[in-house]
Amino acid sequence: MMNRITPEKAVEQLKTLIEDAESHREPDGSLDKIYQDDIAALNFAIEAIKAFDEMDESLTAILKECVSG
C-alpha cells in the first residue's frame, strides 16, 4: 500500500530534487538542458500542489459552512 504524503512533504521532496538537479552544474555555471527541463517540471509541480492545496482548503471551508449553516 502506498504511503500517504502531505502537500507540504511533497513540496519539500520536490525541492530536494531541484537541489539535486542544481548540483549538476558545470564549473562555468551552465546546466545541461535535461536538468533545466527537470527543474522547470519540478517547479511546475510545486506550484500545482500549492494551488490544489489552496483550492482543497477553500472547498473544505465551503462544505463545512454548508453543513453547519
Side-chain angles (χ1 to χ4, degrees):
M1 187 166 148
M2 189 168 91
N3 292 336
R4 302 283 299 172
I5 187 168
T6 64
E8 294 82 11
K9 182 66 179 165
V11 168
E12 181 182 313
Q13 183 63 35
L14 292 170
K15 286 181 178 180
T16 299
L17 293 171
I18 290 171
E19 289 173 9
D20 180 61
E22 287 282 357
S23 74
H24 294 278
R25 287 195 178 275
E26 297 296 327
D28 68 358
S30 65
L31 194 60
D32 185 273
K33 175 87 166 101
I34 293 171
Y35 292 116
Q36 290 176 25
D37 290 347
D38 287 349
I39 291 169
L42 291 163
N43 280 319
F44 182 89
I46 288 169
E47 292 307 312
I49 289 169
K50 289 178 179 179
F52 178 80
D53 195 39
E54 288 176 16
M55 183 177 60
D56 186 46
E57 288 176 10
S58 295
L59 290 174
T60 300
I62 291 168
L63 288 173
K64 284 181 180 178
E65 187 175 317
C66 289
V67 170
S68 67

